[in-house]
Amino acid sequence: QVHLQESGPGLVKPSETLSLTCTVSGGSISSSDYYWAWIRQPPGKGLEWIGTIFYSGSTYYMPSLMSRVTISVDTSKNQFSLKLTSMTAADTAMYYCARQSNGWFDSWGQGTLVTVSS
Amino acid sequence: EIVLTQSPVTLSLSPGERATLSCRASQSVSSFLAWYQQKPGQAPRLLIYDASKRATGIPARFSGSGSGTDFTLTISSLETEDFAVYYCQQRGAWLTFGGGTKVEIK
């Protein structure tokens, strides 16, 4: 059974760049059956898809975040990563990584809370 | 961007009752719709995909229906563990989620 685990800082200063990593275990990130995604959820609010990557490096980003987002993959470490630049208080959220199958998110990490504050 | 509108925002029911949750898309998504359950402090869990297919391990009391712009998640008889927030998600164009419906104990 696949397991996903997010890691990264819980506190980021305004205008700085957020860097998060998702480590996948119990399955290969290089499988052609799956994509890998980042999703976030502001406190008390709904879910927002950020972007998706395939093991080959192909990426798909939410249009409204596209100018600030980079998702990358490291198949040797079975990891994929998120970078989000120019962070503001509006980016404060629980950030989840997830496995994506045919457009559906069928396995999720536990999430990591990121707060933007000086 | 396709907007998903879920109703009602809150549903107050008792265990054993039937729950009917609605998700309406701003334009047709064919059958490309999923439902997720989220409990406090937990990540969402995939319940239904392709509008009506149950994900692995999901009990038969959960069922999905609909196509085009109108979709329904039905829980035939609420168990205590079913009280949670439910989200719909579409993959017709990009990936977007609805605002959620909270199913609370009456």
Side-chain angles (χ1 to χ4, degrees):
Chain A
Q1 184 176 349
V2 70
H3 179 75
L4 298 93
Q5 180 67 58
E6 306 88 351
S7 58
L11 182 64
V12 176
K13 290 182 168 54
S15 80
E16 292 190 342
T17 296
L18 170 68
S19 294
L20 295 176
T21 295
C22 182
T23 301
V24 178
S25 57
S28 174
I29 204 168
S30 299
S31 169
S32 59
D33 292 333
Y34 302 108
Y35 289 69
W36 307 92
W38 288 98
I39 298 146
R40 68 180 181 178
Q41 184 173 36
K45 296 188 177 181
L47 300 161
E48 180 179 63
W49 171 69
I50 299 170
T52 293
I53 192 164
F54 194 51
Y55 77 93
S56 63
S58 299
T59 52
Y60 310 87
Y61 299 137
M62 180 179 176
S64 62
L65 290 174
M66 194 176 299
S67 63
R68 298 168 53 211
V69 174
T70 302
I71 297 176
S72 58
V73 64
D74 186 336
T75 55
S76 67
K77 295 182 179 178
N78 231 32
Q79 295 177 334
F80 63 106
S81 299
L82 168 71
K83 289 190 187 301
L84 185 60
T85 63
S86 304
M87 294 283 282
T88 71
D91 296 309
T92 292
M94 185 72 78
Y95 284 76
Y96 294 100
C97 60
R99 187 177 74 176
Q100 183 179 326
S101 174
N102 291 322
W104 315 126
F105 306 109
D106 65 354
S107 293
W108 296 63
Q110 66 185 24
T112 187
L113 180 62
V114 176
T115 301
V116 182
S117 175
S118 55
Chain B
E1 177 184 327
I2 295 177
V3 176
L4 298 178
T5 302
Q6 291 188 240
S7 61
V9 172
T10 304
L11 194 53
S12 299
L13 295 168
S14 300
E17 289 193 294
R18 182 183 189 89
T20 303
L21 288 67
S22 174
C23 177
R24 177 164 290 179
S26 58
Q27 62 190 78
S28 176
V29 296
S30 185
S31 62
F32 298 142
L33 190 106
W35 292 92
Y36 298 82
Q37 176 193 67
Q38 187 177 33
K39 297 179 181 179
Q42 296 185 18
R45 176 176 69 146
L46 178 65
L47 299 175
I48 301 287
Y49 65 97
D50 291 348
S52 62
K53 298 175 182 176
R54 273 189 302 276
T56 303
I58 302 303
R61 64 180 181 273
F62 291 92
S63 63
S65 63
S67 65
T69 60
D70 291 301
F71 300 87
T72 301
L73 173 69
T74 301
I75 310 171
S76 59
S77 179
L78 282 164
E79 302 279 345
T80 304
E81 62 264 29
D82 300 335
F83 291 93
V85 180
Y86 293 83
Y87 294 96
C88 56
Q89 177 234 325
Q90 64 81 25
R91 70 170 185 92
W94 299 109
L95 304 174
T96 57
F97 291 88
T101 291
K102 180 180 182 180
V103 179
E104 65 176 23
I105 299 177
K106 186 174 182 180

